[in-house]
Amino acid sequence: MKILVTIKQVASLDEDFELNDDGRDVSADFHVFDLNEWDHYALEEAMRLKEGANGDIEIVVATVGPEGADDELRKCLAKGADRAIRIWSDELEDADPVAIARVLAALARKEAPDMIFAGVQASDHAYGVTGMALAGLIDWPHAAVVAGLDYAPGAKTATARRELEGGSYATVEVQCPAVLTIQLGINTPRYASLRGIKQAAQRPIETFTPDELGLAAGETGAAGSLSRIRRVYVPATGRAQMIEGTPAEQAARLAGLIKEFRGETK
Amino acid sequence: MSGILVLVEHRQGQLRPVSLEVLGAAVQAKAASGEAVTVAVLGAQPNAWVESLKLAGVDEIVTVETSTDAFDPEVYETVARALIEARKPSLVLLPHTIDTLGYAAPLAAKGNYGFTTDAFGLARDGADWLATRSGYGQKVNMEIEFPGKETTIVTLRPGAFKAPETAASPAVSTFAAPALTPRSRHLAFEEPAASGDVDIPGAEFILSVGRGIGEETHVEQFRELAETVGATLGCSRPIADSGWLPKAHQVGQSGKTAAACKMYIAMGISGSVQHMAGMKHVDNIIAVNTDPEASIFTIARYGIVGDIFDIAEELRSHF
């Protein structure tokens, strides 16, 4: 029994960031990298199943990214993932989320897992696309935004509780193997132990190129994408009127605003 | 390839309001391109929805009978693909919702259509469509193009477009759903847990706390502060996910909308798209956050860059 968990190294931006000369991205010098928040929950859900099955589940984490993304794979190994795979080649620089999913689909065909978990979306660009595009490309049953899962490893169906808008949920039965995108709050992700972190530093990371996974040139990077970023720019946004001063002065002004709202002052 | 196709959403007998916003965007796109707007509605009795879709700018309403009203990703994907193949639209507009998260990407990936999500801007550039969305946690805007794509699918951010207001009399036709045995099955809806004494939609004054409170033991002092100033205590998603406050306190897309709120104080909340969906309409938003770059300051009327514990303590002394 094998669960494939797809993860992403996400970027947030340093203050006073600058754009690349081509105007199509923020300069990488201003990127601050981390493991996507959603992926902690996807991995934890796989770990939870593994522990319930007395360890008879192999958890494979995989990402599409340059060498630096190894840091995020090691975080997953430190938490207890069994194997880590990274796929990259330079033409993937221009890949949109569907082109990334094509690479993951090729990996899924090779690894033949019993379930695939992905995050609902990534905290940087929030497309919400990769996991479900992967499901479409390998033609597996799927459910998005799963906030509760009832699944016995090896079972023919899983019961997923999908989080809807406005505090409601829908429970669905999905045939397995399936691709599920996992929502925040489905579990409480564990922290890696110091021992786990030390051990993860020594563990191998398997690497592939899209070519080695059997992808044709027309399927990767820009050629396999359904969209292209024409331009990135900093939007003119609204700006709050800032209340300056010491905390006491700021709080006094805030108290005044509240009292005014409550009709207690002029 | 010509025409703008919209698929609307409904749930438990209610047309979801965002579907009408997407129709509004389609009517704008029609003005820019001259292409006709077709709206498709799927359901066990799709005719029931026709009256509410007879809106100005809509050229045609297509009803598609399916075995159940409950959403299924493969049913929507299959019907959408069949409609695209039959009508050859240049643009397909969908709401960016929990349901489309389940089927828009497989639809686009398998069909090789142009595709992007969560767009809040849509423009025509010559014969091409351009979408605008945000990137890097809303720090930048990204203009997206779809080179060489004859059909492009775009999901639109709720709250970004206005629904058409006036009625009209578009043509109505039917479309046969392709045969399909879906591999998933809707079992049940679950309503939000009883809210007890918390009424976020009805509250006029909300004081909301987010990740910035740090630890569960700090919740109590903000509960007391909210009581002291006469506000209802709200929270952002991480606080409810952690179980520090019941879900009924959660403001945002997956929580409650602060519908009646006139003053909203956000303490230690950075302002994700999902949180703002529940409160950005409030007239008087005051944000307190240590990070001057937090998104919440782009929608707040007043901002305080400062430590929420210091501000809370000082604030107490005024009441």
Side-chain angles (χ1 to χ4, degrees):
Chain A
M1 166 88 201
K2 187 193 286 188
I3 302 176
L4 176 63
V5 181
T6 62
I7 66 147
K8 184 185 182 189
Q9 179 177 56
V10 292
S12 54
L13 300 181
D14 258 343
E15 274 177 45
D16 303 319
F17 60 85
E18 290 168 18
L19 301 181
N20 286 337
D21 290 340
D22 68 3
R24 294 181 54 219
D25 202 351
V26 171
S27 164
D29 297 346
F30 301 89
H31 287 178
V32 181
F33 295 112
D34 202 353
L35 176 61
N36 179 34
E37 188 181 359
W38 275 261
D39 302 345
H40 289 278
Y41 294 83
L43 175 61
E44 183 65 34
E45 201 58 18
M47 294 291 301
R48 201 181 64 85
L49 290 172
K50 177 176 174 141
E51 284 157 0
N54 299 317
D56 192 22
I57 293 181
E58 182 183 39
I59 298 175
V60 180
V61 287
T63 197
V64 178
E67 203 177 340
D70 282 353
D71 292 349
E72 316 313 334
L73 289 171
R74 289 197 194 284
K75 287 178 187 169
C76 298
L77 289 171
K79 288 192 189 204
D82 295 294
R83 286 167 54 215
I85 299 172
R86 184 174 59 80
I87 308 142
W88 190 244
S89 69
D90 287 343
E91 69 262 30
L92 288 169
E93 291 268 0
D94 283 328
D96 82 344
V98 171
I100 297 292
R102 290 189 210 282
V103 176
L104 293 171
L107 179 72
R109 288 188 193 104
K110 179 176 182 295
E111 285 288 328
D114 298 278
M115 290 290 268
I116 301 176
F117 295 166
V120 166
Q121 62 182 29
S123 55
D124 47 8
H125 293 334
Y127 284 105
V129 164
T130 312
M132 287 294 110
L134 164 61
L137 292 165
I138 58 175
D139 194 26
W140 279 21
H142 51 274
V145 199
V146 173
L149 179 63
D150 185 1
Y151 171 64
K156 288 190 167 63
T157 61
T159 305
R161 185 170 175 249
R162 297 178 56 240
E163 179 188 279
L164 306 175
E165 290 89 354
S168 306
Y169 296 87
T171 305
V172 296
E173 184 185 80
V174 188
Q175 291 177 22
C176 297
V179 181
L180 307 179
T181 60
I182 303 296
Q183 176 62 310
L184 304 177
I186 187 174
N187 52 41
T188 307
R190 72 195 62 197
Y191 291 98
S193 65
L194 273 176
R195 185 160 157 268
I197 293 168
K198 267 190 191 159
Q199 287 176 343
Q202 309 303 323
R203 303 259 298 275
I205 286 173
E206 302 161 49
T207 55
F208 296 98
T209 61
D211 185 47
E212 285 169 337
L213 294 176
L215 278 154
E219 294 178 276
T220 58
S225 296
L226 303 181
S227 64
R228 181 182 184 274
I229 299 168
R230 175 188 281 197
R231 181 170 81 100
V232 160
Y233 62 97
V234 179
T237 49
R239 188 68 185 160
Q241 186 183 324
M242 290 298 174
I243 298 170
E244 311 287 350
T246 64
E249 289 162 352
Q250 291 172 317
R253 178 88 171 92
L254 178 54
L257 289 166
I258 292 170
K259 287 177 179 169
E260 196 178 318
F261 169 73
R262 290 177 15 174
E264 289 168 11
T265 53
K266 68 276 173 201
Chain B
M1 302 289 167
S2 176
I4 300 157
L5 174 67
V6 173
L7 264 67
V8 295
E9 270 181 22
H10 51 82
R11 183 178 293 151
Q12 295 185 282
Q14 299 293 319
L15 193 66
R16 304 210 50 238
V18 62
S19 290
L20 299 183
E21 295 173 14
V22 175
L23 272 183
V27 173
Q28 274 182 36
K30 173 183 171 174
S33 68
E35 298 182 19
V37 173
T38 300
V39 51
V41 58
L42 286 61
Q45 284 151 343
N47 287 327
W49 307 104
V50 165
E51 278 310 309
S52 46
L53 298 172
K54 288 185 171 172
L55 293 165
V58 175
D59 296 282
E60 186 186 2
I61 300 169
V62 177
T63 61
V64 187
E65 190 179 325
T66 52
S67 60
T68 161
D69 271 337
F71 171 77
D72 179 87
E74 292 179 324
V75 169
Y76 270 72
E77 181 192 334
T78 306
V79 169
R81 180 171 297 107
L83 279 165
I84 291 170
E85 284 171 3
R87 303 300 186 99
K88 312 235 179 301
S90 76
L91 182 66
V92 180
L93 295 179
L94 304 172
H96 187 67
T97 57
I98 300 296
D99 283 354
T100 60
L101 280 172
Y103 81 91
L107 169 68
K110 282 195 259 179
N112 253 321
Y113 308 123
F115 182 47
T116 202
T117 59
D118 198 21
F120 51 81
L122 191 64
R124 180 85 159 183
D125 178 34
D128 299 325
W129 293 105
L130 269 185
T132 307
R133 67 190 309 286
S134 38
Y136 298 106
Q138 307 172 75
K139 292 272 164 56
V140 301
N141 284 359
M142 304 156 78
E143 224 170 64
I144 308 287
E145 58 189 1
F146 312 93
K149 299 297 182 188
E150 296 191 321
T151 295
T152 291
I153 301 173
V154 180
T155 71
L156 300 176
R157 179 178 290 181
F161 296 89
K162 278 204 156 47
E165 283 173 3
T166 47
S169 310
V172 180
S173 62
T174 61
F175 184 84
L180 172 79
T181 309
R183 296 172 294 182
S184 54
R185 189 162 64 95
H186 173 87
L187 299 178
F189 285 110
E190 189 184 326
E191 294 316 310
S195 55
D197 53 351
V198 191
D199 179 19
I200 293 291
E204 290 197 347
F205 179 21
I206 294 172
L207 185 150
S208 237
V209 294
R211 226 190 274 262
I213 67 167
E215 290 174 30
E216 184 171 13
T217 50
H218 297 149
V219 171
E220 198 47 40
Q221 68 192 84
F222 287 95
R223 188 197 305 277
E224 285 167 14
L225 178 67
E227 248 171 57
T228 303
V229 300
T232 298
L233 182 66
C235 70
S236 67
R237 169 165 205 132
I239 304 301
D241 274 353
S242 304
W244 298 355
L245 280 171
K247 186 106 178 154
H249 290 264
Q250 188 185 323
V251 178
Q253 191 173 56
S254 59
K256 295 293 180 192
T257 298
C261 188
K262 297 192 172 70
M263 179 177 261
Y264 191 94
I265 303 179
M267 302 192 88
I269 295 175
S270 61
S272 68
V273 175
Q274 290 81 9
H275 185 75
M276 298 207 281
M279 46 68 76
K280 70 176 177 199
H281 58 276
V282 177
D283 272 345
N284 266 304
I285 298 169
I286 305 169
V288 186
N289 205 296
T290 47
D291 175 11
E293 302 298 321
S295 300
I296 194 85
F297 289 124
T298 66
I299 62 157
R301 174 168 288 184
Y302 297 102
I304 293 175
V305 175
D307 181 286
I308 58 170
F309 298 99
D310 292 347
I311 298 296
E313 191 183 324
E314 294 287 348
L315 188 58
R316 237 170 254 122
S317 66
H318 291 272
F319 291 86

